[in-house]
Amino acid sequence: MLAAERTSVNVAVIGHSFMGKIHTQAWRTAPRFFDLGVEPQLSVVCGRDMKATESFAAEHGFGRAESDWRAVIDDPEIDIIDICAPGHLHATIAIAALNAGKHVLCEKPLANSLDEATQMAAAAAAARVSGVRSMVGYSYRRTPALAYAHQLIDEGRIGTIRHIRAEYLQDWIVDEDFPLVWRLERDKAGSGALGDIGAHIIDLAQYISGHRIAGLSALTETFVKSRPLPGSSSGLHATGGDGRGDVTVDDSAIVIARTDQGALATFEATRFAAGRKNAMRIEINGSRGSLAFDFEQLNELWFHDHTAPAAEAGFRRILVTEPEHPYAGAWWPAGHGLGYDHTFVHEIADFVRDIAAGRDPKPSFDDGLQVQRILDAVERSAASNAGWVTVQAEQ
Amino acid sequence: MLAAERTSVNVAVIGHSFMGKIHTQAWRTAPRFFDLGVEPQLSVVCGRDMKATESFAAEHGFGRAESDWRAVIDDPEIDIIDICAPGHLHATIAIAALNAGKHVLCEKPLANSLDEATQMAAAAAAARVSGVRSMVGYSYRRTPALAYAHQLIDEGRIGTIRHIRAEYLQDWIVDEDFPLVWRLERDKAGSGALGDIGAHIIDLAQYISGHRIAGLSALTETFVKSRPLPGSSSGLHATGGDGRGDVTVDDSAIVIARTDQGALATFEATRFAAGRKNAMRIEINGSRGSLAFDFEQLNELWFHDHTAPAAEAGFRRILVTEPEHPYAGAWWPAGHGLGYDHTFVHEIADFVRDIAAGRDPKPSFDDGLQVQRILDAVERSAASNAGWVTVQAEQ
Amino acid sequence: MLAAERTSVNVAVIGHSFMGKIHTQAWRTAPRFFDLGVEPQLSVVCGRDMKATESFAAEHGFGRAESDWRAVIDDPEIDIIDICAPGHLHATIAIAALNAGKHVLCEKPLANSLDEATQMAAAAAAARVSGVRSMVGYSYRRTPALAYAHQLIDEGRIGTIRHIRAEYLQDWIVDEDFPLVWRLERDKAGSGALGDIGAHIIDLAQYISGHRIAGLSALTETFVKSRPLPGSSSGLHATGGDGRGDVTVDDSAIVIARTDQGALATFEATRFAAGRKNAMRIEINGSRGSLAFDFEQLNELWFHDHTAPAAEAGFRRILVTEPEHPYAGAWWPAGHGLGYDHTFVHEIADFVRDIAAGRDPKPSFDDGLQVQRILDAVERSAASNAGWVTVQAEQ
Amino acid sequence: MLAAERTSVNVAVIGHSFMGKIHTQAWRTAPRFFDLGVEPQLSVVCGRDMKATESFAAEHGFGRAESDWRAVIDDPEIDIIDICAPGHLHATIAIAALNAGKHVLCEKPLANSLDEATQMAAAAAAARVSGVRSMVGYSYRRTPALAYAHQLIDEGRIGTIRHIRAEYLQDWIVDEDFPLVWRLERDKAGSGALGDIGAHIIDLAQYISGHRIAGLSALTETFVKSRPLPGSSSGLHATGGDGRGDVTVDDSAIVIARTDQGALATFEATRFAAGRKNAMRIEINGSRGSLAFDFEQLNELWFHDHTAPAAEAGFRRILVTEPEHPYAGAWWPAGHGLGYDHTFVHEIADFVRDIAAGRDPKPSFDDGLQVQRILDAVERSAASNAGWVTVQAEQ
């Protein structure tokens, strides 16, 4: 918890691969473009391989490297734990950190199972009483175009929502010889495309629309059942090593759903859409208008105003780079687009501002748990050959 | 049946609203741009309202107008019956025509129920023995871009298909006061978005991919339960009259499916996608490439060649207007796009050429029946809250 | 001239290659979709090669074929002469036809030289006195999207125009071995890309904007100086024969200009834009909005309303297929796009309706002459190494 | 000059508005993602208003603030001078810095006049002898898509270049009441759209194509002759204050040109293209292919391979985010796009690596001078009503 007089906060980043690196860049950049109230210090980075961690610490200007995350949590100097480790470690680290009074930012999905997520939300609730803050890293909410989509719907510009159509398409494992990286192993990743990218569109669809998924029917598939064991990997790229192993997660998931407010929704998450690199797409159709977005063109939001005269109506391409748009005013002039990493800067900025202001940040662990309930429902439906599963409403 | 020495064929068109009009334009145009072997004559047009039918006959150069379709079938001069009447009339007319030895082109969906479709396919099979031909009007197959998509997959350019993603989005009934036209009444239209536009993407997805849907789970919804009774209507436009009535068909249908060859498929058909006018979209992802199409840009096929080096790979926008492309060579120079109606010209051309050559045209009534089985499965699944329904394979 | 009691008009089409064929299709189709007041009859088609002409006449249902255009003009039964012959024949045929009291539709550009065009406009003016009508075939004006662009500007939606940016990009002669077809010979075609496609964007830019080009500076280039003599050709496709000849027209022309109302304009016409098939593009920027169009997506007009709040402004893609849009209501439901040939149907419909109503159709031969003045200015500027040439205002 | 044993370099940034801020972010970020050989230190930031400068220094972590750039140059601790001040200060500062043995990165355009640019290039040449490096900030060269465009042309994939078509469209002064910020004053900015954004497309067109502009004809225009004096401004946004003043620079410039290798080129730079925010577009057409780019979708390069079979050829949208693409491998997985500021990170990284390696960075002051010759030719041509101006080749 942050004392009122504090002007800086000490941050520990757990994990330093793809997510750890982009979080670090965000921690470094956020205070330069946003007024945070306090100045984050990159105090510790933590990783299993001490040599690699030390090298990362040096490259990125951390105060020190650690290989034991427990030591980090025990360090009284640390205020914030930023969990960028694989999903199977989320629950243990987050709960320990919250219990130790550290503010926690945890990458998504919140956990690898509904049980873990439930425990985490409980720990967050307990810690909240003492002013300890927690947040789950559904960073896409803070892409300016998607934050603006949320705002337009909130202002009633779309009217009654009829359809939500979301897909997250990647292609990095189309090649059958792409190796068995940790993201393809259930014990580490929890699930495959579902939890990795499907979780994003489920969170986003609900966040933007204000609807909650009430029930669903789903199929999942693992197209390539075994793969070469990995040699080295970084980000989503990897090279093969010796031997083979079983793929224990889904390659793809497709879902049809009803929302609590009467809309129909479809979701698809796949790593087998050849040619689609990071096509996180969402379209929402309502009685007064529609919105469409594709992350491959992340600075654009398409808006159809159905109240305009028919002759001049059409989807308009809004470049979400005006000072009036969420977050955009902190950056460059109109039309000078932002990238993937800026979204994380926004996330860190909001997280720190909320901590400094004594507010609970969003999305909360409860929000993360609610997504987890849907991921769980998807898996249960898929296991029963697309049987209908009602999603339990929050209490 | 067509005697070898015949140089012309006499055509009767049953129905003269949207489909009747565009078929007529196709009958008139096809022999000018394609070598058909025989010359079609616009002999009779048939409609319930004799005055309107006579006016249409005069405008479009038919030999005569009729108000009784049975009289048309009884006319020994007529060779071809082109059924453009609403769905609830398809079975009776088509079976009578086939039994009378007339070649039949029947608009899609083949029928309003699986029973009717089954009887129609049986009648077509019986008539086929005597050289009587039949075809169902899934005209989009002959959009050059989609015919070319089929060809590319047939040539193996997409490899093993993993995903089929099809949606047909319209918005002509988003307005809650849009009147209750015949397309919104179950007894005339059979179903709503499902049979009207969903049928197209189901046929297309199977045609292009060569896969068959093996089982599915579906939801349907009628967002607006009652509407004003109609005043006058034309095409998809209408004005309201007095009183109200219940909407008895689906406004939207969403489907997840597995194919017989192991792909996952999603389908969505809706008339509530504000701003989408005729967005019939299909994307297919395979191990060697992907294809994407949107009818709102009907002259374009997007092709991703996944075998190209990663640095230079990407979806390419092929303008399907080259002489090498299906049907395109009969028309204008490259880049001078075709419209919606050209697809019907291709359909008529192929139908007549097949008749002249003594071949069975495609899609056959059996193909139409197979789509009907899927429409039926969708309705059964939707009725059981998205329960899984296995689609019966053809015999 | 058309007597009031006439219910049909007899049409002679001179030329039956690309333009002759598409005009014929338009003559056939226009009366079916538009109320013309009179019914056009395809009386005569005329071509040099009698055998090919007879074959075309049979295929397209003309009353008869002719090889001598003078005989056609002398035929008292003929009411309308539709000139689809190469440019070097326009003046002689059109003047003879007008003098003989025939209504004339002449393909663009009006003539191969300013002199010829001036004589043609004079003949049209003289004939107009006796009610004889004339029109030049700048058909793109009647593409619904471009007619709607004209309307939006006319209604003041774009405000004070600052920029006109037009380009017409093709690529059919990029291959250095593409043969020397008539369009590459000055004595037949008058000029190259300039008159063939540049003329279109000059006419369109002025028509849509209401501005006139006041002065300009231009460059032209012939990248490939000699080519194989042609074997056979059709449309823009051809195969090579024996021998070689000099290309005597421009391959490309680029122009900067000022308009009479203070806007800046750029024009580019080229047949060397590899991958651009028929990219006739125009963008207009004004103080209150902007418009953009690309013929490769001919059913779309992009409109930016600069008076909208900045946060929600953007170019909107209008599908110009609503009943409210010019010409679109005569065809199919919204979103069911039109093709290149529909534009000619609109042209013929308006031409015949104007004749029937006793009105002078637009674009007139005077309009054609004004474009010719600009083409002439481009050639003179290019000949003087981009020297500034003032365009003479009409009298 | 950098001693071999140095592990860090001390950087002074002169100016801290739009360019100063983005350079600072790039200095901070470059060493974290690229191996630079040495570690840049943000030693000094310099600005006229000491209070604002100190505040910027604190916000961005500079060692100190200065208000006198001469003091910065006199500081023996400073290794690198990064000039982000307005154009009228470039020459004085750069020459003084070079003479003092500092490496210089100077924002573009190199200078406000050809004379100044010539002197700067001479100073750079003199300093180069002693190992002092200089670079001009045409940062767009290092947008991955444009660097890859350069590479494809360099590899011969486009063949003989026929057309270069470049435009840089903005709209931030469409409103006639937008105030008279320094970018609209000749004595500070040198020119208007021409030098600010036209310079970018001239540099890029030549860099990517390998062609040099040999001669040109141009028009410029100032649509709005006077504007309110500015209140406060930041980036390209400003609010009006009291009084009015004359706009002394061009609002727009349009150019036609020939290159030294026989291509035709067109350029347009404008701040009056309503709805275009930062549409820096370039298309290059050659005998073997074409390339197209629009900065509003900065992660995409469109490539048409004209050697592919006609039926499957088309512009392909390459997401330039693969590890194989220039600079992209240092960042995120494929499809996770970069923003405007990443380009500056690449610029700084290359600049520092070249300094560390003892190489002359590109674009050099000579390159900047060559662009200046073209800007000068544009202004001379425009002053003579689009008279042809030959561009002097470098010596």
Side-chain angles (χ1 to χ4, degrees), chain C residues 211-331:
Chain C
H211 286 218
R212 291 284 170 132
I213 294 169
L216 59 80
S217 177
L219 294 173
T220 60
E221 183 61 79
T222 305
F223 295 115
V224 174
K225 315 290 190 196
S226 80
R227 290 179 175 275
L229 295 177
S232 66
S233 74
S234 101
L236 303 179
H237 279 266
T239 55
D242 297 331
R244 296 184 71 83
D246 288 346
V247 177
T248 47
V249 299
D250 59 280
D251 288 337
S252 303
I254 53 178
V255 182
I256 48 176
R258 289 186 188 279
T259 73
D260 58 349
Q261 295 170 51
L264 293 182
T266 62
F267 297 94
E268 176 168 3
T270 181
R271 293 158 170 172
F272 271 75
R276 303 300 180 190
K277 299 301 170 183
N278 204 43
M280 193 195 71
R281 298 164 174 178
I282 185 162
E283 177 164 333
I284 294 178
N285 306 126
S287 58
R288 293 170 52 82
S290 290
L291 293 170
F293 174 84
D294 181 343
F295 193 82
E296 288 187 358
Q297 295 169 328
L298 77 154
N299 292 293
E300 301 174 16
L301 181 68
W302 292 81
F303 169 44
H304 167 72
D305 182 351
H306 205 64
T307 67
E312 61 183 74
F315 275 82
R316 73 183 73 167
R317 169 180 172 266
I318 301 174
L319 272 178
V320 190
T321 56
E322 298 292 318
E324 292 84 352
H325 289 132
Y327 305 105
W331 299 100

Side-chain angles (χ1 to χ4, degrees), chain B residues 76-194:
Chain B
E77 295 300 310
I78 297 299
D79 302 295
I80 291 173
I81 303 289
D82 178 3
I83 305 173
C84 298
H88 66 298
L89 299 174
H90 285 189
T92 323
I93 302 177
I95 293 169
L98 289 165
N99 290 346
K102 314 298 190 191
H103 308 293
V104 173
L105 171 58
C106 182
E107 256 307 317
K108 48 55 56 186
L110 188 58
N112 277 3
S113 72
L114 186 49
D115 264 8
E116 288 175 343
T118 306
Q119 293 168 39
M120 292 168 79
R128 190 179 300 128
V129 177
S130 337
V132 175
R133 311 292 164 194
S134 45
M135 185 186 194
V136 60
Y138 284 110
S139 55
Y140 284 124
R141 289 189 179 201
R142 288 169 163 100
T143 304
L146 293 169
Y148 186 53
H150 173 76
Q151 180 186 323
L152 283 170
I153 288 178
D154 203 50
E155 291 168 4
R157 299 295 294 277
I158 305 306
T160 304
I161 293 174
R162 305 303 194 182
H163 286 288
I164 297 170
R165 196 174 300 114
E167 55 202 34
Y168 200 144
L169 312 179
Q170 296 185 336
D171 74 351
W172 54 281
I173 56 173
V174 165
D175 178 357
E176 304 203 356
D177 292 329
F178 186 91
L180 191 70
V181 296
W182 73 264
R183 286 174 191 270
L184 306 185
E185 298 184 83
R186 172 165 294 271
D187 59 349
K188 300 205 183 69
S191 68
L194 176 62

Side-chain angles (χ1 to χ4, degrees), chain A residues 91-327:
Chain A
T92 323
I93 302 178
I95 293 168
L98 289 165
N99 290 346
K102 314 296 191 191
H103 308 293
V104 173
L105 171 58
C106 181
E107 256 307 316
K108 44 57 58 187
L110 188 59
N112 278 5
S113 73
L114 186 50
D115 263 7
E116 287 175 344
T118 306
Q119 293 167 38
M120 291 168 80
R128 190 179 300 127
V129 176
S130 337
V132 175
R133 312 291 163 194
S134 46
M135 185 186 194
V136 60
Y138 284 111
S139 55
Y140 283 124
R141 290 188 179 201
R142 290 170 162 99
T143 304
L146 293 169
Y148 186 54
H150 173 76
Q151 179 187 324
L152 283 169
I153 287 177
D154 201 52
E155 293 168 2
R157 299 296 294 277
I158 304 307
T160 304
I161 292 173
R162 305 303 195 181
H163 286 289
I164 297 169
R165 198 174 298 114
E167 54 202 34
Y168 200 145
L169 312 178
Q170 296 185 336
D171 75 350
W172 54 282
I173 58 173
V174 165
D175 178 357
E176 305 202 355
D177 292 330
F178 186 91
L180 191 68
V181 296
W182 73 264
R183 287 175 192 270
L184 306 183
E185 296 184 84
R186 172 165 294 271
D187 58 350
K188 299 205 184 69
S191 68
L194 176 62
D196 184 19
I197 52 180
H200 273 303
I201 50 176
I202 288 166
D203 177 69
L204 265 176
Q206 296 187 125
Y207 166 68
I208 293 175
S209 68
H211 287 218
R212 291 284 170 132
I213 294 169
L216 58 81
S217 176
L219 294 173
T220 59
E221 183 60 79
T222 304
F223 296 115
V224 175
K225 315 288 189 199
S226 80
R227 292 179 174 274
L229 295 177
S232 66
S233 75
S234 100
L236 303 179
H237 279 267
T239 55
D242 296 331
R244 296 185 71 83
D246 288 345
V247 176
T248 46
V249 298
D250 59 281
D251 288 337
S252 303
I254 55 179
V255 182
I256 50 178
R258 289 188 188 276
T259 73
D260 57 351
Q261 297 171 51
L264 293 182
T266 61
F267 298 92
E268 175 169 2
T270 182
R271 294 159 168 170
F272 271 75
R276 304 299 179 192
K277 299 301 171 183
N278 203 44
M280 194 195 69
R281 299 163 172 179
I282 186 162
E283 177 163 333
I284 294 177
N285 306 126
S287 59
R288 294 170 52 83
S290 290
L291 293 170
F293 173 84
D294 182 342
F295 194 83
E296 289 186 358
Q297 296 169 328
L298 78 154
N299 292 291
E300 301 176 15
L301 181 69
W302 292 81
F303 170 43
H304 167 72
D305 182 352
H306 205 62
T307 68
E312 60 184 73
F315 275 82
R316 72 184 72 167
R317 170 182 170 264
I318 301 174
L319 272 177
V320 190
T321 57
E322 298 291 317
E324 292 85 351
H325 290 131
Y327 305 105

Side-chain angles (χ1 to χ4, degrees), chain D residues 21 35-36 48 63 66 73 102 121 127 132 135 149 154 174 191 204 212 223 259 269 282 295 303 342 344 348 357 365:
Chain D
K21 193 171 176 188
D35 184 8
L36 304 186
R48 277 176 309 173
E66 271 286 354
I73 288 176
K102 314 296 191 194
V132 175
M135 186 187 193
D154 202 51
V174 164
S191 69
L204 265 177
R212 292 286 171 131
F223 295 115
T259 73
I282 186 161
F295 193 83
F303 169 44
H342 293 83
F344 289 84
I348 296 295
F365 275 27

